Structures are given as structure tokens and as C-alpha cells.
Amino acid sequence: MDLMNPVLLVLRYLISIVGIIGNITLVVSILSHSHMKTFEIFLLGLSFSNLEGIFLVSIFDITTRLALQSLEEWSFKILRFMASLGETATIFFTVLISVFRYQKLRHAEARGNLPTSWDNTSTAWALSGMSLFLSFCFCLPGYFIESDERVDNHTRSRNFLTDPFQCPRINCPAINLIYKTLFLLFSNLIPLLIITATSGLILKVLLHRRKTVSDVYDSSHHHHQNLYFSKSTKTVLAAMCIFQLDWIMYLVLHLAFDSSKMDNWSEIEFFIVTTYTTISPYVYGIGTNIFSCRQIVKVLSCLSFSACGLYRQHSMCAKWNQ
């Protein structure tokens, strides 16, 4: 991104701020509950993954562009690894959310109030830990694989988060090509197929329920529960649609275009990935009544007061040093 382009700079800041507010609000709202359910544990992991990606890919990227030449090689690699870890963890937590929601929806009438196999906090924490471990395993090789020098020298001046497999299609090192193929397959394509399949199954169940909407419920309380469950399921389905659109574009970007020949590669990738990480907390939080617009305003106020306090403290320290 050109530092002289204020429009893109402001747009990236705004998207990052909106995403940070939404994810922090979701985290605070979930942690305020005395007892977290499986769905909330998965959302908590998703929010933390989103925040990591937003901070490293956008905020830190923007604020350190003027100091790129002073950063060491290991700093580039660590930041690149952490950003990739947050992005991959976001994908895996989305897979957990989609599979869990279909599991809850499948045979819900026959099962009644009986829990599913994932309706256990220990199982939810174990699955969350497994998602983080898989993300770590998939992203760790990227720390050791060197970017192609012909691309690295050109792109480092504009983006320190160079992809570990970013290299020209012609004469691309074999190790870079193998890692890129495996990474896109297991960390992007397969999760995308799983989410697409579960979304289709969820939609099928919802359409089937719509045909039987004239059925009489046993009680008004049961009717209220079904309305809430249907709303939350539609919310998850909407988030899955956003995810599918984003990651289809992400795969097309990496498979159909040559990163070494695109000057705006970093910006295109940023807007594709950050769309889901920014919108998803609002879709999940408001759609499932985990938080409200009033809570968003409270978080925004707290962040504003914190920023003002840090600014005043910095000003006082600067005056004292003088």
C-alpha cells in the first residue's frame, strides 16, 4: 500500500477499528456469563483469533511501515507466523461452529432437550485446543521456509507479512510450491468444503421445517424456544455464507493470480480476509442475542477512555523527560 494514498490508509484503519470493537464486545459479553456453553466457547476462540489477525495484519502493519528497514529478519518471520496462525485458527473455529450447529439441528425434534455429543464444556475446550494445535502445525513450516528473494526484495518495502510461498510461478522453489499446495488444501479448501456441506444440510433442515410450520407446538414456551433456535441457526447460516464468499475469493486470488506480478496483492488479501473477521462478531453477537448495540457503545466508550488515558500518560512522560 502506498503511504501517500490516504484513502486506503483511512479505510484500513476504519475496518480494523470496527473489527476490534466487535470482537472485543463479543469476548466481554461471553466472559460475563457465569457458565459458558459449547457454542460460546467456540465463539470465544473465534474472537481471539480474529483479534490476533486484525492486530497483526492491519494495525501493526500500518503503524510499522515507516520502520520496516529497522526490523530484523526474525521479526518479519514471527509477525508473519502469528498473522497466519490467527487467520488459520479463525477458519478452524468456523468449522467447529458450523458442524456443531448442524449437530444441534439434526434430529432436534426427536432428541428433544437431550444434549449432543459436543454439549460438554470439556469436549468444547478440547476441540478448541485441537484447532489451535492444528493451526500451529500448519503455520509453523512457514516460519522456516524462506520467501523467494526476487519477490521478497520487492515486497518487503511495502508489506512485511510476505507469504512464505510467495514466489513467481516460473522457477518457484519446490519447497515453497509444496507448502503452498498443502497449506491451501488442508487449511483453506477442505474447511471450505466442510462448511459448504454443513451449510447446505442446515439449509435443507430449515426448509423442511418451513414446510411444517403449521404444526401446533406443545406450549408457548416450546414455541419461543423454537423461534430463538431458528433465529440463531439462520444467523450461523448467514455467517457461513460470508465465510464461503470470502474464502472462495481468497483461493481464487492465490490459485489464479501471480502474487509477484500484483503490486496491490497485500491490499486485496487484506480486504478479503478482514471482511469475515470484522463482520462475523456482529453477525454472531447480535443475531444470537449475545450482545446488543448498547454493549457495543459501552465497549467503544471504554476503548476511547483508555486511548485518552494512554495519550495523556504519554504526554506527561514526554514533558517530564524534557
Side-chain angles (χ1 to χ4, degrees):
M1 183 180 65
D2 187 2
L3 287 173
M4 298 303 293
N5 191 332
V7 177
L8 285 179
L9 186 65
V10 172
L11 184 60
R12 290 191 65 160
Y13 266 123
L14 289 177
I15 292 176
S16 301
I17 292 173
V18 171
I20 290 172
I21 293 173
N23 283 286
I24 290 179
T25 304
L26 187 58
V27 169
V28 172
S29 301
I30 293 175
L31 292 178
S32 63
H33 296 173
S34 58
H35 177 71
M36 286 189 292
K37 300 179 180 178
T38 298
F39 183 67
E40 294 173 341
I41 292 175
F42 292 159
L43 285 182
L44 188 65
L46 178 70
S47 297
F48 277 117
S49 302
N50 290 345
L51 284 172
E52 180 187 1
I54 291 174
F55 272 117
L56 291 178
V57 177
S58 57
I59 296 296
F60 199 81
D61 180 20
I62 295 171
T63 55
T64 57
R65 282 178 181 272
L66 294 176
L68 285 177
Q69 301 299 328
S70 62
L71 293 178
E72 300 293 336
E73 180 66 22
W74 63 269
S75 301
F76 285 92
K77 290 185 176 182
I78 291 178
L79 293 172
R80 187 175 63 192
F81 166 74
M82 294 301 295
S84 181
L85 179 63
E87 175 185 316
T88 307
T90 293
I91 296 174
F92 286 141
F93 276 110
T94 304
V95 171
L96 292 180
I97 291 172
S98 65
V99 174
F100 174 71
R101 177 53 64 180
Y102 174 66
Q103 190 183 62
K104 291 285 290 183
L105 192 64
R106 185 169 176 260
H107 305 315
E109 292 85 356
R111 190 176 62 252
N113 293 326
L114 295 177
T116 64
S117 58
W118 286 13
D119 275 324
N120 184 287
T121 55
S122 299
T123 302
W125 286 115
L127 289 171
S128 299
M130 183 181 66
S131 297
L132 293 175
F133 177 74
L134 288 176
S135 302
F136 180 84
C137 292
F138 284 130
C139 297
L140 184 61
Y143 178 84
F144 300 99
I145 295 178
E146 297 290 341
S147 300
D148 188 79
E149 292 182 359
R150 289 164 294 181
V151 178
D152 190 61
N153 292 335
H154 173 67
T155 58
R156 180 170 296 180
S157 61
R158 62 182 175 84
N159 181 24
F160 70 93
L161 293 174
T162 310
D163 293 322
F165 45 72
Q166 188 175 7
C167 60
R169 292 187 175 182
I170 302 177
N171 299 326
C172 183
I175 187 65
N176 293 54
L177 186 60
I178 292 173
Y179 177 69
K180 175 180 179 178
T181 303
L182 294 177
F183 185 87
L184 292 178
L185 176 63
F186 291 103
S187 299
N188 291 272
L189 181 58
I190 292 179
L192 178 62
L193 293 176
I194 294 174
I195 291 173
T196 302
T198 53
S199 298
L201 293 173
I202 290 174
L203 182 61
K204 180 181 178 181
V205 175
L206 291 178
L207 292 176
H208 176 72
R209 287 187 173 185
R210 186 177 180 181
K211 293 180 181 179
T212 59
V213 71
S214 59
D215 293 343
V216 180
Y217 293 96
D218 295 335
S219 65
S220 59
H221 177 67
H222 187 204
H223 178 65
H224 175 74
Q225 286 183 330
N226 278 273
L227 287 177
Y228 170 75
F229 189 72
S230 178
K231 178 186 176 182
S232 62
T233 301
K234 292 177 181 178
T235 296
V236 172
L237 190 60
M240 295 302 103
C241 291
I242 298 173
F243 176 89
Q244 292 170 61
L245 290 174
D246 278 351
W247 258 262
I248 287 175
M249 290 189 293
Y250 181 85
L251 288 173
V252 170
L253 177 67
H254 280 272
L255 297 177
F257 298 94
D258 191 347
S259 60
S260 63
K261 297 180 180 180
M262 295 181 63
D263 294 334
N264 295 323
W265 178 274
S266 172
E267 286 67 48
I268 296 174
E269 187 178 33
F270 166 81
F271 288 117
I272 290 176
V273 174
T274 314
T275 298
Y276 177 73
T277 58
T278 299
I279 298 177
S280 60
Y282 296 97
V283 175
Y284 288 120
I286 298 177
T288 57
N289 297 330
I290 294 179
F291 65 73
S292 62
C293 295
R294 181 178 298 178
Q295 289 173 294
I296 297 177
V297 174
K298 290 182 179 179
V299 170
L300 181 59
S301 300
C302 292
L303 292 176
S304 300
F305 284 127
S306 300
C308 292
L310 291 175
Y311 176 77
R312 290 178 180 177
Q313 184 178 5
H314 175 74
S315 300
M316 291 177 64
C317 291
K319 293 179 179 179
W320 185 78
N321 290 330
Q322 291 177 356

